[in-house]
């Protein structure tokens, strides 16, 4: 269906595979607004469980009819959560006959993993005195 | 200050360095609740910018007095956002004299990066017919 939000985020990234670089340079406001939408979509237990059920399915896609029974929630509520994941660019779907089938868009989870990964060889940033005080 | 939330999340992880595995197996409800708290903390543009300012600081820590001027927000509002990042286990802080100093807790961003990373060699899960229909 729509990849509109994914395209918007593409424009804020420096390269295709990588990232604004959350840990290496201050995000500008536009980058932060776009990224926050994706993290907000992940900030709900039902949506995280739905995403993990979709992402871990061996065949690569899941019928909504196989997702709903795992939750004590109505079909419209599940569909709403799936819509938010789709609008964030994390999953996509297609209707085939009676049912809608969902699959992961791994480009987005790859991107999030990339921006949360420290540069290779980057030392732990906490100074020794601060780390000591925190324990 | 407090690492309480970080410890709770530790109990849901399978190993120290890694992860419940968002993309490899369905999350259970407890894991999803704990992870969602962290993603929710990241689901706000101001908090993302604060985190990136803290994480990318060369010296490893930042005085709150250096964070506030970047935002058109009051000091109490900034402090509230910093508190939510701290409660999520993403940063920690220490008061020294007049000011509070913040630093990244890279164990948490490492963990999030880990759970969002596909297993090595994992093919793109979208079936060819579904990917075609989505474009």
């Amino acid at each position: 269906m729509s990849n509109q939000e994914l395209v918007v985020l593409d424009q804020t990234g420096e390269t295709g595979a990588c990232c604004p670089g959350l840990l290496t340079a201050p995000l500008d406001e536009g980058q932060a607004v776009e990224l926050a939408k994706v993290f907000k979509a992940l900030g709900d237990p039902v949506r995280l469980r739905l995403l993990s059920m979709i992402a871990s399915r061996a065949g690569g896609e899941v019928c909504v009819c196989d997702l709903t029974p795992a939750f004590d929630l109505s079909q419209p509520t599940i569909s709403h959560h799936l819509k938010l994941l789709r609008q964030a660019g994390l999953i996509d779907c297609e209707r085939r006959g009676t049912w809608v089938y969902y699959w992961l868009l791994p480009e987005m989870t790859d991107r999030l993993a990339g921006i949360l990964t420290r540069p290779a060889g980057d030392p732990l940033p906490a100074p020794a005195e601060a780390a000591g005080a925190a324990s």
Side-chain angles (χ1 to χ4, degrees), chain A residues 4-25:
Chain A
Q4 190 176 3
E5 297 78 6
L6 188 60
V7 172
V8 170
L9 190 60
D10 275 341
Q11 295 170 342
T12 69
E14 291 171 15
T15 68
C18 203
C19 43
L22 181 63
L23 305 183
T24 51

Side-chain angles (χ1 to χ4, degrees), chain A residues 63-78:
Chain A
C63 175
V64 68
C65 57
D66 291 328
L67 295 170
T68 310
F71 299 88
D72 191 21
L73 296 167
S74 69
Q75 171 78 52
T77 300
I78 295 293

Side-chain angles (χ1 to χ4, degrees), chain A residues 2-85:
Chain A
S2 168
N3 279 333
Q4 190 176 3
E5 297 78 6
L6 188 60
V7 172
V8 170
L9 190 60
D10 275 341
Q11 295 170 342
T12 69
E14 291 171 15
T15 68
C18 203
C19 43
L22 181 63
L23 305 183
T24 51
L27 288 179
D28 72 31
E29 205 165 331
Q31 291 169 335
V33 167
E34 293 304 322
L35 264 181
K37 287 180 192 168
V38 187
F39 283 124
K40 193 171 181 180
L42 294 173
D44 178 274
V46 173
R47 290 197 290 277
L48 277 181
R49 288 179 63 203
L50 285 167
L51 184 68
S52 73
M53 291 170 74
I54 294 167
S56 63
R57 179 60 65 101
E61 62 176 27
V62 189
C63 175
V64 68
C65 57
D66 291 328
L67 295 170
T68 310
F71 299 88
D72 191 21
L73 296 167
S74 69
Q75 171 78 52
T77 300
I78 295 293
S79 292
H80 175 71
H81 283 300
L82 289 166
K83 182 182 171 187
L84 294 179
L85 289 172

